[in-house]
Amino acid sequence: MAQNGTKLLMLIDDEPAQCRLISALASRAGYRTIFARDAETAIATLGTQDGMMLDAIILDHWAPGTEATDLIAELKSRRPALPILMLTAVGSVTEAVEAVRAGATDYLIKPVAPEQMLTALTTAVESSKEAGELQPLSEKISAPLEFEQIVGAAPAFRAALAIAAKAARARVPVLIEGEGGVGKEVIADAIHAASPRSKQPLLKVNCGAITGNLLDSILFGHEKGAFTGAFDRKIGLLQQAEGGTIFLDEVDRIPPETQVRLLRFLKSSEIQPLGSPNSFQIDVRIIAATNRSLEQEVQKDRFREDLYYRMNVVQLTIPPLRDRTGDIPALARHFLTRLALQPGLRSLGITDEALNLLRSYKWPGNVRQLQSVLFRAAVMCDRDALTCDEFPQIASFVADAGDAHPHLLSSPEGIGVTLYSGDGNLRPLEEIEADVIRLAIGHYRGRMTEVARRLGIGRSTLYRKLADLGIDNAA
């Protein structure tokens, strides 16, 4: 890290406008940016005093001098622990996959929102001590899911989804609490999609990635000349989301002055842009999320109590993945199915042994981290199915420390459907079939028509099998 606590970033790009933009964004998070116009300059810079102090590199895919993947590989060979983020054009998922194969820590598809870039940069630097296999990726499989498509059969998780589905039809604010990566944004997407506002905008902002004054401007807008640097009038996200929904992530990080303005909006549906003498009403629903207990933040005088109660009309608590490890097999197969649709990737299976290995890990980054691990494994796999070999760090945890390792769970839940018995032989088909039916009943929450449809059999056949196999349909 550079002196005086300033972090140092190298940007490899030959586009002046983008260099100025990224440099300005990075400075908000405490970074000083040095520039390299091409691959030759970037490699030479690594040997300078600044180069030895680098905290991260951002590489534009179109930077001249060499292929981006070749440059990433060369940079990683010289500085293996240095995080490298690649910016790539819309639709260039294939290039992103090749970048990860070459050693990129993360990739961002342009155009990228400022808060998304800052979050990705911060996450990459903070996670740089982890092996690449377990580092989180900021880019997600982006297609939003409806409630029926969200994977998870754990009771606490299904209870939260049931509350969310009911709240979607109302107009009230929703507060979603849960650790980072549990799927709060996925739930917010589903709430909006199931609401009467689904045809209107859903806009998102990460409040923790934006400084106080800038957050005011982003949310509420400003008039020309409202503050130094306000050269033009700007319409805030709340106004842009008129008739729709705005998702406020890391809402606990909102500074006090912005909390006051947000409280006024929730009370009166009125906003007043910075520098404007006038206020006006808008119709926007707030979905807020936090990875902390907002009630505890109130008790510590870090969050306004009156704002907390305005936001907390409906509260959802999403359990961490370590508390629902029985969902990991279904989640893994779900992610692999969706990853297979991405350019440059293909359909892959996953062995029972690999699933058992994944279930043994505590997943501090939760579902998002599981998805990242599977993405990297799928990128590097040259077989038809992922095995334990694709997860070397987790396998190392198991080999080195077993259940005593702090990253491992002491007694993970059952895998769901196991093909092999303890002696290594296949289990009888009747036992496997019974497990599949039990799993389907739990996954589809006892909706027998849906269970039959998904299993590809008629309802009468399903009920006959339940009787023959001795299965209670409440299983």
Side-chain angles (χ1 to χ4, degrees), residues 35 44 77 143 239 256 278 283 304 308 310 323 359 376 468:
F35 303 95
S77 71
Q239 187 176 351
N278 303 315
D283 175 25
R304 292 183 63 101
Y308 168 66
R310 289 281 177 177
D323 289 347
R359 289 177 51 259
R376 285 193 171 92
D468 292 344

Side-chain angles (χ1 to χ4, degrees), residues 153-172:
F157 184 71
R158 299 310 309 185
L161 283 188
I163 295 171
K166 187 174 181 179
R169 300 187 291 272
R171 301 181 59 182
V172 296

